[in-house]
Amino acid sequence: MVQIPNPPPPEPSAARSVPTSADVARLAGVSRATVSYVLNNTGAVRISEPTRRRVREAARELGYVPHAAARSLRAGHSRMVLMPAPSFPAGPLYSRFLSGLQWALGRLDYTVVQYGTAGVHGDEAARAWAELRPVAVLAPGSDLGPRGVEILKRSGARAVVTLGPEAVEGAHALLTDQEGVGRGATRHLYDRGRRRIGVVVPAERGLDVFSAPRLDGARQAVAGTDATVTELPLRYEEGDAARLAARWRPLGLDAVFAYNDEYAMLLMRALQDEGLDIPGDAAVIGADDLMLGRLLRPRLSTVHLELPAGRDLAALVDRAVHDPGAAPERHKVLGATVVHRESS
Amino acid sequence: MVQIPNPPPPEPSAARSVPTSADVARLAGVSRATVSYVLNNTGAVRISEPTRRRVREAARELGYVPHAAARSLRAGHSRMVLMPAPSFPAGPLYSRFLSGLQWALGRLDYTVVQYGTAGVHGDEAARAWAELRPVAVLAPGSDLGPRGVEILKRSGARAVVTLGPEAVEGAHALLTDQEGVGRGATRHLYDRGRRRIGVVVPAERGLDVFSAPRLDGARQAVAGTDATVTELPLRYEEGDAARLAARWRPLGLDAVFAYNDEYAMLLMRALQDEGLDIPGDAAVIGADDLMLGRLLRPRLSTVHLELPAGRDLAALVDRAVHDPGAAPERHKVLGATVVHRESS
DNA sequence: TTGAAAGCGCTACCAA
DNA sequence: TTGGTAGCGCTTTCAA
């Protein structure tokens, strides 16, 4: 950061204290109850129009904003849906999913909050979230064990939904079928005659939640066949890709399923620089169906993923909130479809 | 979402109500005050070790988690730093920045929360944020006018920091010098002999906050010279890029500064497909210095951006919280450096 | 060393 | 149609 000079001198700033509904009541010459009725449009109570006007006017004048904590303390519950903020760079896929979800939950009058989990893990994280008394929690299953779920429920969370390859006891589950991604990609390569298949696995921490099951899926796809699967760790940087490409021929592979399109692009470029023909010498397939795959030459084959619509997930949350006792729902949510282009 | 069968039958689930500190006190056979002392390690009060043990044991047994709202209601303030959740797909640049910031603020004992703004704008958004009574708010200047800042401060926010090309009255400002990005890129093209310069501007909504100043910067760079700048709206899809590429020759341009590396890649591919030589027929430069630029052929020239370190920004927030009356700080935060590769 | 009680801001019940 | 008031869960002062 570069400090630059400040033009305006510091204002004295009256620094009045934060206005409360009592202040509004005083200014409007009514009781706090009346203020509450007016500002919340309480249907059961009829307030005369002049009074309403006075109250609203007073609130406006003071810049009154209700205190959410006090309100939910009194109410005994909140409308907050908590999600941990992703700890890795979220791709466009997840971003779109999140936007849609926020919008849909907003329509149902929930407030979505992403909690910045700064290096806190496991039950401790669950406890931190529970302090906010969210009405629902939506989190990666990797962040939340059965004990975490229990903590949240004990603290009043009426719905806990996990996202990940496996269900967590006591919680609703969105089962991301990452194995299916690896299976689909690898079967595609197999079907096109490839038998010695490499699988790129990111060396970066935090991505193994996704990459490990994709690798497993690849293994499943070749189980009982004459094909082999070789794990290829790769850091997301040119140097490492070049190193991997340099030992490509000795590896004796004829195809590679890269963790996602970005890693696929990285490796494909390195292989091309090494003089290999794609897909002749090596078939390449990625995953996530990012735009960049379409722009490569040859065009990158990939696995298209379908995340659940925000509306559907919002509906699940709402259902769960209304009936917390119901049996946990299980949904498969990654519609994985192979998109065959030119690189395989 | 695909509904799949649920193995386990619904548990009866005791559904006990949420334990409070009073419950802990009861179980431990002490007063609520003692519970508070023990659980908060209050230094001023000495509690015997056996009592401490009993209290902690009781809390553990009940699964007690303190109620953040009640606590901050009583305390009169919170440690929550609120940021609106980005409404556009956040790139790796912003993701890294955000992670670092969350970590740094976490070290200072703040809780970072991203508020999912579902289609609420302007002062209304500020009011929604203010309901949570955050101690600090960090938001794009585009989301927050002077009135919004005033609303937040009136509601007890001790620090408001805006991020954007211009400062907002009453708030600290991180001045993202987007104009500098456009200026640097365009000057680079000019220095390399280009005179008819196109500037790609995303047609997508929400990005104009960044793209408009970048375009302005490009205009500034050629002001008073014989060069021209032409605005080129482009949607992020192949078809639109192909259309633009098709009318490239009639446009008579010899260079293009694309909004960022992704748009640059999109257009560059389309131009190449059209048979144009890069950089011979058209020099191309992007921005943001994404990995993909290094993987293109020719390698993509770009503008490298430096976002402030999380530590520095966290320190600014902390300073502002401790001294809310201080004059607003202004910092320039986008260190823009042209990275010349092969496409220009 | 521990307990009693006030009060943070708000809503909803009950009275007037 | 409006007001009084209890009480949500917590911390902290004051008393014991």
Side-chain angles (χ1 to χ4, degrees), chain B residues 38-342:
Chain B
V38 172
L39 264 32
N40 295 311
N41 280 315
T42 307
V45 186
R46 289 235 140 321
I47 306 277
S48 70
E49 195 48 48
T51 305
R52 305 181 90 88
R53 216 191 310 281
R54 280 218 314 288
V55 168
R56 275 199 259 268
E57 177 59 27
R60 215 184 41 70
E61 183 171 335
L62 293 176
Y64 170 73
V65 175
H67 192 308
R71 183 192 303 234
S72 67
L73 183 59
R74 164 68 217 222
H77 60 256
S78 73
R79 299 282 295 172
M80 180 192 299
V81 176
L82 183 145
M83 307 177 60
S87 53
F88 49 88
L93 204 73
Y94 184 76
S95 296
R96 257 210 317 281
F97 164 69
L98 194 59
S99 290
L101 178 60
Q102 282 177 357
W103 186 86
L105 283 171
R107 300 228 11 141
L108 295 175
D109 204 38
Y110 292 97
T111 295
V112 181
V113 148
Q114 286 176 260
Y115 188 97
T117 306
V120 182
H121 293 294
D123 294 350
E124 205 177 340
R127 214 136 26 214
W129 304 341
E131 291 194 1
L132 297 187
R133 297 291 191 270
V135 69
V137 174
L138 182 51
S142 53
D143 293 3
L144 207 54
R147 277 212 311 277
V149 173
E150 184 57 26
I151 289 170
L152 288 168
K153 291 191 153 182
R154 267 250 197 303
S155 304
R158 293 170 66 90
V160 180
V161 183
T162 63
L163 191 65
E166 290 173 20
V168 176
E169 194 186 320
H172 301 275
L174 262 37
L175 296 165
T176 53
D177 183 20
Q178 303 284 358
E179 296 190 356
V181 178
R183 222 165 29 230
T186 306
R187 190 174 298 144
H188 167 79
L189 294 172
Y190 184 88
D191 288 347
R192 301 195 59 81
R194 310 292 169 152
R195 290 297 178 270
R196 310 232 3 160
I197 299 172
V199 174
V200 166
V201 177
E204 281 78 17
R205 289 268 147 245
L207 259 38
D208 28 335
V209 196
F210 308 106
S211 61
R214 288 187 185 187
L215 174 60
D216 284 345
R219 292 226 166 87
Q220 292 163 17
V222 299
T225 73
D226 55 336
T228 62
V229 155
T230 307
E231 179 177 354
L232 302 172
L234 176 63
R235 264 173 300 139
Y236 192 60
E237 54 181 60
E238 284 185 279
D240 207 39
R243 266 187 296 278
L244 176 53
R247 57 194 190 89
W248 186 260
R249 294 181 210 269
L251 277 167
L253 303 176
D254 59 11
V256 61
F257 160 51
Y259 164 67
N260 73 5
D261 288 351
E262 291 179 313
Y263 283 81
M265 179 185 188
L266 178 64
L267 180 58
M268 190 164 110
R269 167 55 60 205
L271 292 174
Q272 287 176 321
D273 285 352
E274 193 68 21
L276 282 96
D277 177 58
I278 313 288
D281 298 325
V284 178
I285 185 169
D288 292 3
D289 193 12
L290 303 183
M291 166 69 89
L292 59 84
R294 265 172 293 212
L295 301 177
L296 297 180
R297 297 296 180 269
R299 291 179 171 82
L300 183 66
S301 296
T302 189
V303 181
H304 178 82
L305 300 185
E306 203 69 64
L307 247 41
R311 288 188 47 142
D312 295 343
L313 182 44
L316 163 59
V317 168
D318 197 42
R319 222 180 305 136
V321 166
H322 280 100
D323 184 6
E329 299 184 25
R330 310 268 112 115
H331 296 274
K332 273 206 178 187
V333 295
L334 276 190
T337 330
V338 170
V339 179
H340 179 213
R341 297 207 182 102
E342 304 165 352

Side-chain angles (χ1 to χ4, degrees), chain A residues 266-286:
Chain A
L266 177 63
L267 179 58
M268 189 163 112
R269 167 54 60 204
L271 291 174
Q272 286 176 322
D273 285 353
E274 194 68 20
L276 283 97
D277 177 58
I278 313 288
D281 298 325
V284 178
I285 185 169

